[in-house]
Amino acid sequence: MPCPRLTRRSERRVNSTATLSSSAGPAPSDRTLEWIMRVGLAACFIGHGSLGFLHQKAWTSYFGVVGIGPETAYTLMPWVGAFDLALAISVLIFPLRPIVLYMVAWTVWTALLRPLAGESVWEAVERAGNYGIPLALWLYLAVRSDEPMASPRREVLTWVLRLTTVLLLLGHGALGLWVRKPLFATHYHSIGLPGDSLVPVVGAVECIFALAVLVRPNRWLLVGVLAWKLATEALSPIAGSAIWVFVEHGGSYAAPLALALLLWRSQSAQASTPTPTVS
């Protein structure tokens, strides 16, 4: 027969644990995670679609991969842009898995067009936010429910967001460290920094960030990654590019933020689970 005194002590320990976990504040809901991914994906397509209306000269080489000449490419760009905007609106209103899956395929294809057009393969890796976020959203939408996600599905989603964050950091870092992309130097020069010498240093830092997220991610590291991406991508409009270039990288902001919230919720759930006691 359990001792009444020990039972009361066990109950007090459980209650105190619950009080401590609740004092940390409520964990973000799965619905919040869904909206982060939806907004990030929509931003990617809004930015890309708006650039289509601006008739980007760089896009002509991507059309050329499939045999479309510059004149026809300029004609098609606004139509591609309009379709991208329609997809973005559909994701914000009501995301359907088949449409989101198409968005995965489309973003993978547009990323691969870079190396197919003669650019570095790291250009495709750096755009992991573009295709990683729709993939994560597609997996999330597999079971639409108000109940919390089951552990296996949460684990898969966590790894998709984790690898997405790793790849977008690694790709951007490699473009600076090994490719020495001239555009990056222009970005740093726009705020008065020595771009030529800074590009490889920043690239090395981003590769270290990528390794840290791969080996041991935590929510504060990911908040730092989010702040870093916002700051570095903001250099594009500062250097004279269209604001839509910054918006197009919405997936690169959504991935670390969504992953940080997933880890926060997981840690909060573990903290609120009472430790079994012997009665």
Side-chain angles (χ1 to χ4, degrees), residues 58-163:
W59 285 18
T60 57
S61 62
Y62 308 144
F63 279 94
V65 171
V66 292
I68 299 176
E71 185 175 344
T72 305
Y74 282 121
T75 302
L76 291 176
M77 285 181 196
W79 292 99
V80 172
F83 190 57
D84 282 349
L85 292 176
L87 290 171
I89 293 171
S90 73
V91 166
L92 291 175
I93 295 176
F94 189 81
L96 297 173
R97 290 194 80 219
I99 293 178
V100 174
L101 183 60
Y102 168 81
M103 296 170 87
V104 175
W106 176 246
T107 48
V108 169
W109 170 242
T110 54
L112 290 176
L113 283 174
R114 269 70 182 178
L116 290 174
E119 299 178 17
S120 170
V121 69
W122 293 112
E123 293 283 356
V125 177
E126 190 262 341
R127 284 166 173 77
N130 291 5
Y131 46 84
I133 280 295
L135 177 59
L137 181 59
W138 181 77
L139 291 169
Y140 174 87
L141 295 174
V143 180
R144 220 178 236 285
S145 172
D146 292 332
E147 297 297 323
M149 284 187 292
S151 295
R153 187 160 64 102
R154 181 178 296 277
E155 187 70 18
V156 172
L157 182 61
T158 298
W159 268 106
V160 169
L161 292 170
R162 187 171 176 178
L163 292 176

Side-chain angles (χ1 to χ4, degrees), residues 142-202:
V143 180
R144 220 178 236 285
S145 172
D146 292 332
E147 297 297 323
M149 284 187 292
S151 295
R153 187 160 64 102
R154 181 178 296 277
E155 187 70 18
V156 172
L157 182 61
T158 298
W159 268 106
V160 169
L161 292 170
R162 187 171 176 178
L163 292 176
T164 297
T165 305
V166 168
L167 290 176
L168 65 90
L169 286 169
L170 180 63
H172 199 271
L175 287 171
L177 182 60
W178 294 304
V179 180
R180 308 289 177 95
K181 188 173 180 178
L183 181 62
F184 292 173
T186 302
H187 288 171
Y188 300 133
H189 284 312
S190 69
I191 55 174
L193 296 176
D196 295 332
S197 59
L198 197 58
V199 167
V201 175
V202 172

